[in-house]
Amino acid sequence: MPTGSILPSFTPPSRDEYNRMAIILKSAGLTLTTSRINISHHLTQTSIPSSALELSKLLDIPLSTTHRNLSSLAYAGLANNIIDRSGISRWFWLVVGKVNFCPCCNQEFTTYS
């Protein structure tokens, strides 16, 4: 899947959005880094699950850093991933109690906590 065809472009967080992300990340026990805030911000701004590679390219963050941050977000219960039909892990921000679905593959995902 070409990166530019489905994913929206990245817009850095506003000061208010940065502060909102900082509160969420701190309350989850995570340290604040620019990469983590940008990944979190982007995931909250789109309903389209993104691969680590897409996020890495879009946000101009090394792939290894992107993977580490996504793992940290998942461990903290803020993000999760689905495996699409082609076997690619796609990451999304958890929206508690909402039925979500991937618009690319129509796979449904729900979070309960």
Side-chain angles (χ1 to χ4, degrees):
M1 172 177 67
T3 301
S5 65
I6 294 181
L7 290 178
S9 61
F10 175 68
T11 303
S14 66
R15 179 44 103 190
D16 288 342
E17 185 62 21
Y18 181 95
N19 291 336
R20 187 174 83 84
M21 289 290 99
I23 290 168
I24 291 169
L25 294 173
K26 282 182 184 179
S27 68
L30 296 172
T31 56
L32 300 181
T33 66
T34 301
S35 296
R36 189 168 290 151
I37 287 176
N38 285 343
I39 290 169
S40 300
H41 172 67
H42 182 74
L43 291 177
T44 63
Q45 299 303 304
T46 182
S47 61
I48 302 169
S50 306
S51 73
L53 181 60
E54 291 167 340
L55 289 168
S56 173
K57 289 179 180 179
L58 184 66
L59 305 177
D60 195 26
I61 299 171
L63 185 57
S64 59
T65 301
T66 303
H67 276 291
R68 278 193 304 276
N69 280 296
L70 290 169
S71 294
S72 294
L73 292 170
Y75 184 76
L78 299 173
N80 207 340
N81 66 316
I82 57 174
I83 307 297
D84 70 12
R85 292 179 187 157
S86 63
I88 295 173
S89 181
R90 298 201 173 276
W91 292 86
F92 58 92
W93 192 257
L94 292 174
V95 180
V96 176
K98 178 184 175 203
V99 176
N100 301 276
F101 73 95
C102 175
C104 301
C105 67
N106 292 323
Q107 184 175 346
E108 187 176 295
F109 51 91
T110 306
T111 179
Y112 300 102
S113 58

